[in-house]
Amino acid sequence: MSAIITEKPELTILYQDQHLVAIDKPAGLFVHRSFLDKDEKYFALQLLRDHLGQYVYPVHRLDKPTSGVLLFALSEHVARDINSAFQEKQMHKTYYALTRGHLEGEGRIEHPIKIKLDKIGDKFVNKDQEAKDAITDYQSVATATLPIPLGKYSSVRYSLIKLSPQTGRRHQIRRHLAHLRHPIIGDVNYGDNKQNPFFYQHFGVKRLMLHAQSLSFVHPILKREITIEAEFDEQWLKVFHTLGWSLSVI
């Protein structure tokens, strides 16, 4: 489980008009209250509501440990329009992940995902549901090798992967990369229990290395293409520097 945020985060507004607002959600911040958050003090929804002085409507979600573009609507009818666009696959999302091993080339992961249920929050949900189709496109952007033995391997290998999910299943990217045997670094649910502690010790970074870098869509009111981007934070840049990667590879 990721660490609890004890100091009030400063929200970065990435985009704002009369209808929509997007923030750069930091890793470790819940989108809104849930049964998992009994010890949490801060939530993106409430922080943004307080900052704007008005009600906001979440139209999608990012897992607590994932950073990046998080979009909200400023009215119910716009929220409905954006939710419909997500359901109709008209919202184009780009993520970046740091994974274990060298994942080369590009491809499409088509691996059905069974709904992952929470013991408390989903206790009344049918636990015998069939796996649902899940599709993620990926492209290898960069690879690196550290000449440091770990476990049965003589070196440590990493890949920077660009991902575009075509469906929106829970933990889809995390589960799909784990399915390829290239789990995301820092993933405590689907990751490598040798790589994660090594990464923290060597890089001083203890988080899920998954970033929602951009979101593109046709604005439901303005009827024009909007692309919202979130830059890589200091922790990502620290990793890039240590692995010898430049932002020019992105």
Side-chain angles (χ1 to χ4, degrees):
M1 184 173 291
S2 55
I4 294 171
I5 294 178
T6 56
E7 295 186 10
K8 184 178 179 180
E10 291 291 332
L11 292 185
T12 299
I13 303 292
L14 300 173
Y15 175 87
Q16 184 176 358
D17 61 29
Q18 292 179 313
H19 314 285
L20 297 168
V21 60
I23 66 168
D24 185 358
K25 187 187 87 66
L29 182 66
F30 271 114
V31 174
H32 49 66
R33 292 186 181 275
S34 77
F35 72 94
L36 296 172
D37 64 13
K38 62 180 181 178
D39 296 319
E40 299 286 343
K41 293 177 62 178
Y42 302 109
F43 307 88
L45 176 65
Q46 189 62 53
L47 289 170
L48 183 58
R49 185 183 298 173
D50 293 344
H51 178 79
L52 298 178
Q54 70 175 97
Y55 196 84
V56 296
Y57 300 80
V59 293
H60 70 127
R61 61 171 289 169
L62 293 177
D63 293 337
K64 177 186 177 184
T66 303
S67 60
V69 180
L70 182 63
L71 184 66
F72 296 84
L74 299 179
S75 66
E76 268 190 280
H77 76 274
V78 172
R80 284 195 297 268
D81 289 344
I82 292 292
N83 280 323
S84 295
F86 272 108
Q87 292 171 6
E88 294 169 10
K89 300 180 174 63
Q90 297 171 350
M91 308 291 284
H92 304 289
K93 297 172 284 186
T94 299
Y95 290 76
Y96 282 86
L98 182 71
T99 70
R100 179 191 73 183
H102 285 179
L103 176 56
E104 306 280 2
E106 59 184 45
R108 168 166 284 192
I109 309 166
E110 297 184 78
H111 178 66
I113 289 177
K114 192 167 185 178
I115 296 176
K116 184 177 177 62
L117 301 177
D118 292 317
K119 292 181 180 179
I120 301 173
D122 296 322
K123 64 181 178 180
F124 299 115
V125 177
N126 178 13
K127 296 179 175 55
D128 297 321
Q129 296 183 47
E130 293 184 359
K132 295 186 177 182
D133 291 341
I135 301 171
T136 305
D137 294 330
Y138 72 90
Q139 176 186 353
S140 182
V141 174
T143 59
T145 302
L146 299 179
I148 303 172
L150 183 64
K152 62 180 180 180
Y153 299 101
S154 59
S155 62
V156 178
R157 296 183 175 187
Y158 298 109
S159 297
L160 180 65
I161 307 297
K162 181 180 180 180
L163 302 122
S164 178
Q166 304 303 310
T167 52
R169 310 304 178 197
R170 187 179 185 193
H171 294 177
Q172 176 175 312
I173 290 175
R174 297 163 64 179
R175 296 172 75 176
H176 269 176
L177 287 171
H179 172 70
L180 292 186
R181 309 284 185 181
H182 292 279
I184 299 176
I185 299 300
D187 194 333
V188 297
N189 292 331
Y190 312 102
D192 186 319
N193 61 11
K194 288 188 175 65
Q195 277 279 4
N196 289 347
F198 169 82
F199 188 81
Y200 174 50
Q201 181 182 23
H202 189 78
F203 291 88
V205 175
K206 189 176 185 180
R207 58 169 287 187
L208 177 72
M209 296 302 291
L210 178 63
H211 181 61
Q213 189 265 339
S214 71
L215 181 64
S216 298
F217 58 96
V218 174
H219 195 293
I221 306 300
L222 304 180
K223 304 301 181 185
R224 60 183 174 86
E225 183 79 16
I226 300 290
T227 297
I228 305 170
E229 297 183 337
E231 296 181 357
F232 292 94
D233 62 31
E234 291 182 4
Q235 291 180 320
W236 274 97
L237 296 179
K238 178 181 180 181
V239 172
F240 286 173
H241 177 74
T242 304
L243 294 178
W245 293 338
S246 165
L247 283 176
S248 64
V249 305
I250 306 303

